[in-house]
Amino acid sequence: GAVVSQHPSRVICKSGTSVKIECRSLDFQATTMFWYRQFPKKSLMLMATSNEGSKATYEQGVEKDKFLINHASLTLSTLTVTSAHPEDSSFYICSARDTGGPSSYEQYFGPGTRLTVT
Amino acid sequence: QQQVKQSPQSLIVQKGGISIINCAYENTAFDYFPWYQQFPGKGPALLIAIRPDVSEKKEGRFTISFNKSAKQFSLHIMDSQPGDSATYFCAASRVNFGNEKLTFGTGTRLTIIP
């Protein structure tokens, strides 16, 4: 089946530093990837849609200068949290569409990255 | 119009029983309805999905029932097992070539007791 990986799975950083999270589709190509944020016991909140070779589309209220997204290849998208603050602590999850598969609209999720900003 | 309403918020079912989670949507343009299962500290996993051209889809112990006129769909877990204890999310989107987004329900925390 379609597998999506994320790295790192956990990261702790100091306030003011930047953190990069990688999302990879391991066995399929993904022209579109999505980045979500999830607070404890809450649903997934879409942050942005990442498109290979073009600029990401951000959801309303998400600061694009704070959450930098780069989708440089068909299998890799990165999310960089710049100048992180404690309120950015959260569970970040990516997903990818298998655009070449029989069901090109299905989204497969990564295992998530737990970010803690101290 | 983009909301997907999910109920109940939490559910406790005895082992071997049937777990039922319901979702309702307003946007009639939605035509893809997946269910995701999420364990604590993990990403959601696609469980089962349905398109509106059928009223029911079954995969093993999991069944989606879909009522297009009522704009409702539900997940049924037959013979519920302790390993099914997780949070379940329904979602909806429009099938399209492009950056189609999923709209998620609020989630249901399911607990299966022995």
Side-chain angles (χ1 to χ4, degrees):
Chain A
V3 179
V4 176
S5 70
Q6 279 184 244
H7 178 79
S9 57
R10 290 177 177 270
V11 58
I12 301 173
C13 70
K14 292 189 176 181
S15 187
T17 62
S18 295
V19 174
K20 180 184 285 188
I21 302 170
E22 292 186 349
C23 176
R24 293 182 185 272
S25 56
L26 297 186
D27 50 1
F28 64 98
Q29 293 185 331
T31 56
T32 304
M33 291 183 173
F34 301 86
W35 286 96
Y36 296 82
R37 184 173 180 176
Q38 187 177 34
F39 292 103
K41 299 183 180 181
K42 296 295 183 182
S43 189
L44 287 80
M45 182 187 78
L46 180 65
M47 299 175 64
T49 303
S50 170
N51 304 298
E52 188 266 336
S54 64
K55 289 184 178 181
T57 304
Y58 290 83
E59 294 300 299
Q60 192 172 10
V62 177
E63 300 176 61
K64 61 181 181 181
D65 294 330
K66 180 165 188 62
F67 299 100
L68 300 179
I69 292 172
N70 184 21
H71 193 153
S73 78
L74 287 172
T75 59
L76 174 64
S77 175
T78 60
L79 168 68
T80 301
V81 183
T82 62
S83 185
H85 290 284
E87 58 265 28
D88 298 323
S89 298
S90 192
F91 193 50
Y92 292 88
I93 312 171
C94 71
S95 71
R97 289 176 61 197
D98 183 2
T99 48
S103 299
S104 62
Y105 40 83
E106 291 186 352
Q107 285 189 33
Y108 299 93
F109 284 80
T113 296
R114 173 76 59 194
L115 170 63
T116 303
V117 183
T118 60
Chain B
Q1 198 176 15
Q2 291 297 319
Q3 281 187 329
V4 176
K5 296 182 180 179
Q6 184 172 347
S7 63
Q9 188 174 3
S10 62
L11 180 62
I12 299 174
V13 174
Q14 205 145 21
K15 179 182 175 182
I18 303 174
S19 304
I20 302 174
I21 304 171
N22 301 298
C23 284
Y25 63 97
E26 296 179 357
N27 187 348
T28 54
F30 286 147
D31 59 2
Y32 172 64
F33 305 91
W35 284 90
Y36 288 88
Q37 178 189 56
Q38 186 179 31
F39 293 104
K42 305 295 183 183
L46 180 63
L47 196 60
I48 187 172
I50 198 168
R51 299 291 307 280
D53 52 341
V54 295
S55 60
E56 185 175 283
K57 183 175 181 180
K58 184 176 182 179
E59 290 184 1
R61 295 186 294 111
F62 302 94
T63 300
I64 297 180
S65 296
F66 181 77
N67 186 330
K68 187 174 181 179
S69 60
K71 294 185 283 186
Q72 295 175 347
F73 59 109
S74 61
L75 175 69
H76 296 233
I77 306 175
M78 312 299 286
D79 187 26
S80 300
Q81 298 297 312
D84 297 330
S85 297
T87 299
Y88 293 80
F89 293 96
C90 64
S93 74
R94 292 183 295 123
V95 171
N96 200 356
F97 294 104
N99 312 334
E100 206 44 69
K101 304 179 291 189
L102 285 170
T103 299
F104 280 90
T106 50
T108 296
R109 178 169 287 195
L110 174 64
T111 303
I112 308 300
I113 57 175

